[in-house]
Amino acid sequence: MAQTFSPRSILLCVVFLFSTNVLAISAVLGIDLGTEYIKATLVKPGIPLEIVLTKDSRRKETSAVAFKPSQNAPKSGSYPERVYGSDAIALAARFPGDVYPNLKTLLGLPTDDAIVKEYAARHPDLQLEAHKTRGTVAFKSKATAHEEAWLVEELLAMELQSIQRNAEALAGSDSTVRSVVITVPPFYTVEEKRAVELAAELVGLKVLSLISDGLAVGLNYATSRTFPNVNEGGKPEYHMVFDMGAGSAKATVLKFQGRTVKDIGKFNKSVQEVQVMGSGWDRTLGGDALNYLIVDDMISKFVESAAAKRASVTAESVRGHGRAMAKLVKDAERLRHILSANVDTGSSFEGLYDDIDFRYKITRADFEKLAEAHAERVGAAVQKALDIAELDIKQLDSIILHGGASRTPFVQKQLEKVAGADKLRSNVNSDEAAVFGAAFRAAELSPSFRVKEIRISDAAFYPAGMMWTNPQDKPQQQRLWTERSLVGAAPKEVTFTNHEDFSVRFYQQVPSTEGTTVNRETKSFTTKNLTASVASLAEKGCSHTDIHFKVKLRLSPEDGEVEVDKASVECEAEVQEKEGSVMDGVKNLFGFGKNKDQQPLKDGEEAAEDASTTDSTETATTSFDSSTTSTTATSSSASADSPEGSPVPKKKQLVVIPVDYIMEKAGIPSLPKTDLTKAKERIKAFEASDKSRRLREEALNQLEGFTYKVRDLLETESFVAASTPEERAKLEKKARDVSEWLYDDGADASREALKSKLKGLKDLVSPVEKRIEEAQKRPELIKSLKSSLDQTNTFIDTIKGKIAEADAYMSSLSSSSTSTTEASSVTSAPSQAGDFDGLEEEETTTSTTTATVEDSGPVPPVYTLDDLKEITDLSKSVMDWLEEKLAEQEKLPETADPVLLVKDLTEKTKKLEKAGMDLAMKSVKAFDKNKKKNSSSKKSSKTKAKKSATKTGSDGAEPTIEAKDGENYIKFGEDGKGPSMEEIEEMIKRMSKEQQNKDEPRTKHDEL
């Protein structure tokens, strides 16, 4: 039975279709999530790969968010002002306990991790604590004392939301940004990647994919290049991306090559491939670590100063002072950047600690001496990447530099020492290559864009495997992937001997703080119906030794987590062959079946078959019922001939039963649904509070600006001339009261109160400004209206003159009609009929008509007096109205409200113009109508002439094709066969040729 759909289902399908199309054309965003800076690139139809600027028009945003404490105590349900980027860093010296920089290093880490402890030591004023559910980092804010501690993912979500708002401002008011691709360092574990995804989810962003930093740079490198085709004997290129930013140093070996693959149809195409071969890193070697070398040197020299010694200042007391540390860290980064281009620099601090001033100087040589131990770590990261890729440094074509810290002189010296100066390349944008690669990947994954086909393969970066308990209750462990394994590759099939429901725990092997490795669980896989499925196979005759439980596993191309592609139990069992299937019926139809009729005939059966054929031919008119009976009888006899009790044949067949399972995340507990909803609502409330604050500040700025405007207006000549002294005095007093209120109670006033004050001032100013505007625009509009009236009256007088002239001509024509009729009553003699009289008649008629037109007198007017009545009345009424209003307006002083308004003048002018246009269009339509009428009459006369000229003979018979003797076109009945296809084509050609020969004389006659 055909399936039917309810109207509700159809409506939902339509809504889904339109919503899918809307989402498909939305913009996508690539985000380079750095430790110190966040960069974003927008991709939208019409906007290909454009950097998202900050509100200060910068191409990158400092990775920091701050809560600016309010002057009063925070109230429950209210939120402080949030600032981002450089504005947040600027508040670090004033509010060190509410500025949160470099949050990327804390994602997915427990509070007892060494990296978290070091972060807490560097930011002593931050109140860091463990989250009650997850055990990860959370911050208690003084500015939001009534709120629970903020998860580090919530704070990062706020930064992503700020980037999202800037991107939507760039995309336009009609666009939304919801889909993103985010870069992550290769050393990120599953937990750290989940933290990034959680931060994006909290603000409604959908992560299309996570991409490693090195691969993003390599993808950007490949977008403008073509590499050797391995199918044509080309050799792949090997490049290393050395990326050293603020937080870490990473070295990634990439393989670039071209390949010819199958395209649509019979065509081939060439694609580019970028594959990660191996990666090495140092999680703490970056710009921040180098900054703190300078900070430590500053503290040691400050403590040794005479003023600090007199005050008994210790290094520990300075490191524990939040404001002093914020000042030192901010200046240390500036000094490091200067030393990259200069040999020495310095800085000074006023009241750095305990009101003690401090001056500091450093040279590049001193800085490089401080960083000797860090310089040696650069080569270690490079060598680790080469070891995993199983390559030698000589096999690299180049080392591509990326990241701000890679420009540090001693870092480049170390790379030159390892690989040679000739291999270092700066052929990509060292700041923006990764974000452009992420945006290209986002466009590739989106259905809205078509980009150059570049196939990328990211690596797992960590070994991974699984643990389970076998049927003998013994724990087992198996490694499935290595550091070089590619995510998104073909699934791996694993066979288990377990026949009852059990669980498998997947793990990721990561290094520990002690220098060893530890297996951290990432997911758990639990079967639901394995026991029942095995029992079902046993009932089908499978032995337990032949039953296998197989699972196909792979690493997700989006985030590298384990995915189950398929889970099933299977065995080979003997099953009965099915007879009478659809396939057997098709085989029998074409003579390939297994029926008895398809077997070779035995001796003596051929004659019986011929007799049967003859009988069936003679009884072709048997009714349907008889045929059915005969067929049934034949089938019965065939069944009777088969041996009774013969066994049905069996064959071995693979029987597969899918197994249901549950896949759950393991490791750090996920946020409960209630906590997740609460976190989203809290961020939304914070955003609403920020929006309300922005709107109030806009209202405050408008009110302040308007009070200044009122002061200027009171001194303007035009405003003084158009207002009375009483109005100016009232406005001056009102403005003064508002100004005093702003600096008193208005400082904390609501947006509604500010708007009310602004409205009160505008109500006094608007009437006077309207008088000024009316006085300025009125003369020009009066001139325009008078010009329209003059043109209209001239047009009316002209048309009336035409009508009078035409009437006079018609009257003179009617008076002479009697004498004209008598003169034209002479009868002409009939002429001899010739063969070409019909052809000359049209020309004679045309010449006569032409002569008549030449003597017809003036052209009859298109309009009548009735047509002019409406525009005449309108013109008169407008003229009377204008004269009346002009007289009234001249009697009024400048300080009075005008009676002759701009809008009325504009309206009257438009009415006159519209009436004139309507009258003009009437003449155009009448001209088109006459033209069509004349053309149709000419066509009819020409048609009659052609019909009379094409008659052949007095009977008027149509031309026919006569068959010649001995040349029949179609011969039926000869040899009992009809004409062949070739004969029909030849007949058509001959008929066409003969018809053409008959038409030639007639055609020539027509042309005469």
Side-chain angles (χ1 to χ4, degrees):
M1 187 178 73
Q3 186 177 2
T4 59
F5 298 92
S6 66
R8 180 181 297 178
S9 302
I10 297 174
L11 179 60
L12 289 176
C13 291
V14 173
V15 172
F16 175 75
L17 174 64
F18 279 100
S19 63
T20 304
N21 292 337
V22 170
L23 290 175
I25 63 173
S26 61
V28 294
L29 197 64
I31 297 178
D32 180 15
L33 186 62
T35 302
E36 185 178 5
Y37 294 101
I38 299 179
K39 295 174 281 289
T41 298
L42 179 72
V43 184
K44 180 194 172 184
I47 303 180
L49 297 176
E50 184 167 346
I51 287 287
V52 177
L53 302 179
T54 68
K55 65 182 184 65
D56 301 326
S57 299
R58 298 181 180 178
R59 297 178 69 85
K60 56 185 179 181
E61 183 76 282
T62 305
S63 179
V65 60
F67 300 157
K68 188 176 180 180
S70 58
Q71 298 177 354
N72 303 323
K75 301 177 181 179
S76 179
S78 63
Y79 295 93
E81 180 182 358
R82 285 185 302 183
V83 291
Y84 301 95
S86 56
D87 293 340
I89 296 298
L91 295 175
R94 294 174 56 196
F95 310 108
D98 287 299
V99 179
Y100 308 97
N102 303 353
L103 298 173
K104 176 183 174 182
T105 57
L106 304 176
L107 292 173
L109 298 180
T111 53
D112 58 352
D113 192 278
I115 295 177
V116 177
K117 293 179 179 179
E118 184 178 1
Y119 184 92
R122 291 178 176 179
H123 304 86
D125 271 21
L126 293 180
Q127 301 179 25
L128 190 148
E129 61 183 52
H131 189 263
K132 59 182 181 181
T133 303
R134 292 168 55 83
T136 54
V137 178
F139 292 97
K140 188 67 178 177
S141 170
K142 298 177 182 177
T144 58
H146 58 280
E147 293 284 342
E148 295 181 0
W150 296 91
L151 273 170
V152 64
E153 289 86 355
E154 289 180 286
L155 298 175
L156 179 60
M158 296 178 186
E159 297 180 22
L160 294 178
Q161 190 177 51
S162 176
I163 295 292
Q164 180 188 19
R165 296 289 176 264
N166 294 337
E168 289 177 344
L170 173 62
S173 58
D174 58 338
S175 299
T176 58
V177 179
R178 293 290 181 270
S179 302
V180 296
V181 169
I182 303 178
T183 64
V184 293
F187 55 77
Y188 257 20
T189 63
V190 168
E191 298 294 350
E192 290 167 301
K193 292 180 180 179
R194 287 177 182 172
V196 174
E197 293 174 331
L198 175 60
E201 181 185 359
L202 289 175
V203 290
L205 292 175
K206 178 185 178 183
V207 179
L208 298 177
S209 176
L210 299 176
I211 183 171
S212 63
D213 295 325
L215 182 58
V217 176
L219 180 57
N220 176 250
Y221 180 79
T223 53
S224 58
R225 292 170 175 81
T226 301
F227 303 100
N229 193 312
V230 294
N231 298 103
E232 299 173 0
K235 293 184 178 180
E237 295 182 9
Y238 295 96
H239 300 270
M240 174 182 286
V241 176
F242 183 81
D243 182 9
M244 186 171 179
S248 58
K250 294 90 62 179
T252 304
V253 179
L254 302 171
K255 180 171 73 172
F256 298 86
Q257 64 185 18
R259 184 184 298 276
T260 302
V261 297
K262 185 74 174 176
D263 199 1
I264 300 174
K266 299 181 180 180
F267 302 98
N268 294 331
K269 62 179 179 180
S270 295
V271 300
Q272 307 303 307
E273 296 180 341
V274 184
Q275 178 181 329
V276 176
M277 301 294 293
S279 185
W281 57 78
D282 191 322
R283 294 190 66 141
T284 59
L285 178 61
D288 276 356
L290 301 180
N291 292 342
Y292 278 95
L293 291 176
I294 299 176
V295 170
D296 292 340
D297 188 54
M298 285 179 173
I299 293 175
S300 62
K301 289 183 179 180
F302 175 70
V303 172
E304 293 174 358
S305 64
K309 286 182 178 179
R310 286 195 300 269
S312 301
V313 178
T314 62
E316 289 73 17
S317 60
V318 176
R319 289 191 176 93
H321 193 274
R323 293 187 178 181
M325 286 296 295
K327 292 179 181 178
L328 293 174
V329 171
K330 182 180 179 180
D331 232 50
E333 182 178 4
R334 183 183 65 83
L335 295 177
R336 180 174 63 85
H337 291 166
I338 294 174
L339 289 176
S340 296
N342 299 275
V343 294
D344 59 5
T345 185
S347 183
S348 60
F349 303 90
E350 184 177 351
L352 175 63
Y353 178 82
D354 201 13
D355 292 333
I356 300 175
D357 298 338
F358 175 58
R359 296 178 63 86
Y360 176 74
K361 290 184 179 181
I362 186 173
T363 63
R364 181 189 293 180
D366 295 336
F367 173 62
E368 291 181 354
K369 186 175 181 181
L370 294 173
E372 285 180 353
H374 292 69
E376 296 176 358
R377 293 158 61 182
V378 172
V382 173
Q383 190 58 46
K384 181 183 177 183
L386 292 172
D387 293 342
I388 295 176
E390 298 178 356
L391 293 174
D392 187 76
I393 191 69
K394 297 179 181 179
Q395 295 177 270
L396 294 180
D397 292 280
S398 70
I399 297 179
I400 302 171
L401 300 180
H402 188 264
S406 66
R407 295 190 287 266
T408 306
F410 80 83
V411 173
Q412 295 191 3
K413 287 181 182 178
Q414 287 296 318
L415 292 175
E416 291 175 0
K417 183 178 179 181
V418 173
D422 58 326
K423 288 188 181 295
L424 298 187
R425 298 285 187 273
S426 299
N427 45 11
V428 300
N429 188 325
S430 61
D431 285 327
E432 299 174 352
V435 71
F436 279 127
F440 186 91
R441 178 62 173 164
E444 184 182 16
L445 294 175
S446 172
S448 302
F449 307 97
R450 184 177 180 182
V451 297
K452 177 182 178 181
E453 187 169 357
I454 303 177
R455 301 182 177 181
I456 64 172
S457 300
D458 217 334
F461 300 115
Y462 288 108
M466 59 181 182
M467 299 178 291
W468 77 100
T469 302
N470 63 14
Q472 290 76 32
D473 290 334
K474 291 184 179 180
Q476 287 190 281
Q477 180 175 332
Q478 180 180 350
R479 175 183 287 190
L480 298 174
W481 298 281
T482 65
E483 300 96 326
R484 292 188 60 180
S485 297
L486 301 178
V487 299
K492 290 188 174 184
E493 186 175 80
V494 182
T495 303
F496 296 91
T497 57
N498 298 60
H499 289 168
E500 296 181 356
D501 289 313
F502 72 112
S503 296
V504 179
R505 301 181 307 280
F506 298 99
Y507 66 86
Q508 191 176 50
Q509 197 173 74
V510 298
S512 63
T513 54
E514 291 79 14
T516 58
T517 57
V518 60
N519 297 336
R520 291 184 180 174
E521 294 187 11
T522 58
K523 280 190 175 180
S524 65
F525 167 83
T526 305
T527 61
K528 296 173 62 177
N529 63 335
L530 177 60
T531 305
S533 300
V534 171
S536 178
L537 288 179
E539 292 176 359
K540 297 180 182 295
C542 294
S543 63
H544 280 269
T545 56
D546 295 334
I547 298 175
H548 303 287
F549 176 42
K550 295 183 178 181
V551 181
K552 288 186 177 180
L553 304 168
R554 71 165 188 164
L555 296 177
S556 168
E558 285 77 25
D559 52 17
E561 292 202 35
V562 180
E563 290 182 339
V564 176
D565 189 65
K566 181 181 178 182
S568 61
V569 288
E570 60 183 48
C571 77
E572 286 191 354
E574 290 186 349
V575 296
Q576 296 180 355
E577 290 192 29
K578 295 182 179 179
E579 294 187 357
S581 63
V582 175
M583 184 58 67
D584 292 338
V586 175
K587 290 181 178 179
N588 293 337
L589 179 63
F590 291 98
F592 299 103
K594 298 181 180 180
N595 293 344
K596 180 180 179 181
D597 294 339
Q598 303 298 330
Q599 297 178 0
L601 294 176
K602 298 179 181 179
D603 296 339
E605 289 185 356
E606 186 173 357
E609 185 180 358
D610 293 340
S612 174
T613 304
T614 303
D615 294 340
S616 63
T617 305
E618 293 175 354
T619 60
T621 59
T622 307
S623 66
F624 176 77
D625 295 338
S626 301
S627 300
T628 307
T629 307
S630 175
T631 305
T632 306
T634 305
S635 303
S636 302
S637 62
S639 301
D641 292 341
S642 62
E644 296 182 0
S646 60
V648 179
K650 294 183 177 182
K651 66 175 183 179
K652 279 198 171 185
Q653 183 178 350
L654 184 65
V655 181
V656 180
I657 300 178
V659 174
D660 297 333
Y661 59 88
I662 299 174
M663 199 75 167
E664 295 178 329
K665 293 181 179 180
I668 296 177
S670 301
L671 274 180
K673 189 174 181 179
T674 54
D675 291 353
L676 182 63
T677 303
K678 183 179 179 181
K680 291 181 179 180
E681 294 298 330
R682 190 159 66 156
I683 293 178
K684 287 181 181 179
F686 221 139
E687 177 69 13
S689 175
D690 286 346
K691 183 178 181 180
S692 176
R693 183 178 294 103
R694 288 194 300 268
L695 293 176
R696 181 194 172 278
E697 289 175 354
E698 290 177 5
L700 177 62
N701 293 335
Q702 290 175 358
L703 181 58
E704 286 181 343
F706 202 79
T707 57
Y708 292 117
K709 178 182 177 181
V710 169
R711 295 177 186 176
D712 295 337
L713 287 175
L714 291 173
E715 298 176 359
T716 306
E717 293 182 3
S718 59
F719 190 86
V720 172
S723 59
T724 62
E726 293 79 10
E727 289 176 331
R728 292 195 298 274
K730 185 177 180 181
L731 178 60
E732 184 177 5
K733 182 179 183 303
K734 183 76 172 178
R736 184 171 59 253
D737 293 343
V738 170
S739 298
E740 294 175 356
W741 176 80
L742 279 175
Y743 292 102
D744 190 8
D745 298 335
D748 298 325
S750 65
R751 176 173 173 244
E752 288 71 20
L754 295 170
K755 291 176 67 177
S756 177
K757 294 289 184 180
L758 179 62
K759 184 179 182 301
L761 285 175
K762 285 186 174 181
D763 289 344
L764 297 177
V765 173
S766 297
V768 182
E769 288 185 333
K770 185 178 180 181
R771 295 172 202 161
I772 298 173
E773 182 183 4
E774 291 280 342
Q776 291 174 348
K777 294 182 178 180
R778 189 184 305 117
E780 187 66 28
L781 291 175
I782 292 174
K783 181 180 179 182
S784 176
L785 180 57
K786 287 183 176 181
S787 175
S788 297
L789 285 169
D790 293 340
Q791 292 176 5
T792 303
N793 293 332
T794 302
F795 176 75
I796 293 172
D797 294 341
T798 303
I799 296 301
K800 285 183 178 180
K802 296 281 186 181
I803 294 174
E805 182 182 355
D807 291 343
Y809 174 77
M810 292 303 295
S811 62
S812 63
L813 187 65
S814 60
S815 62
S816 59
S817 59
T818 305
S819 59
T820 305
T821 305
E822 292 176 357
S824 61
S825 60
V826 179
T827 306
S828 59
S831 59
Q832 295 292 330
D835 293 337
F836 303 100
D837 288 347
L839 298 176
E840 296 175 354
E841 181 182 359
E842 182 179 357
E843 184 178 357
T844 305
T845 306
T846 306
S847 62
T848 306
T849 305
T850 305
T852 305
V853 173
E854 290 175 355
D855 300 335
S856 62
V859 178
V862 180
Y863 307 107
T864 64
L865 292 176
D866 292 337
D867 296 334
L868 300 178
K869 185 178 184 306
E870 181 180 354
I871 192 170
T872 304
D873 295 343
L874 177 62
S875 177
K876 185 177 182 305
S877 64
V878 172
M879 178 64 74
D880 295 342
W881 173 84
L882 181 60
E883 291 176 353
E884 179 185 352
K885 291 297 180 181
L886 279 174
E888 292 181 13
Q889 184 64 41
E890 289 176 357
K891 296 178 181 179
L892 295 176
E894 292 185 16
T895 57
D897 293 333
V899 294
L900 184 57
L901 301 178
V902 168
K903 67 179 184 65
D904 295 335
L905 290 168
T906 305
E907 181 183 355
K908 298 293 184 183
T909 305
K910 287 183 177 179
K911 280 186 178 181
L912 277 176
E913 292 175 351
K914 183 178 184 301
M917 184 62 66
D918 292 343
L919 204 59
M921 289 304 298
K922 184 177 181 180
S923 65
V924 173
K925 291 178 181 178
F927 176 78
D928 291 342
K929 185 176 180 181
N930 293 334
K931 187 177 179 181
K932 291 180 181 178
K933 186 176 180 181
N934 294 334
S935 63
S936 61
S937 63
K938 288 181 180 180
K939 288 182 180 178
S940 62
S941 62
K942 287 183 179 180
T943 304
K944 291 178 181 179
K946 288 184 178 180
K947 286 184 177 180
S948 61
T950 53
K951 290 183 179 179
T952 56
S954 59
D955 56 351
E958 295 182 359
T960 58
I961 300 175
E962 298 178 358
K964 297 180 180 180
D965 295 338
E967 294 184 359
N968 294 329
Y969 287 102
I970 305 178
K971 298 180 180 180
F972 295 99
E974 293 186 4
D975 301 331
K977 298 180 180 179
S980 64
M981 184 61 66
E982 291 78 7
E983 292 174 343
I984 293 174
E985 291 179 356
E986 182 65 23
M987 175 199 67
I988 293 172
K989 291 179 182 178
R990 292 171 62 186
M991 290 174 64
S992 301
K993 185 176 181 181
E994 185 166 345
Q995 180 66 32
Q996 184 178 1
N997 293 335
K998 284 189 176 185
D999 288 344
E1000 283 181 358
R1002 184 180 301 107
T1003 304
K1004 293 179 180 178
H1005 184 74
D1006 289 345
E1007 291 175 352
L1008 291 174

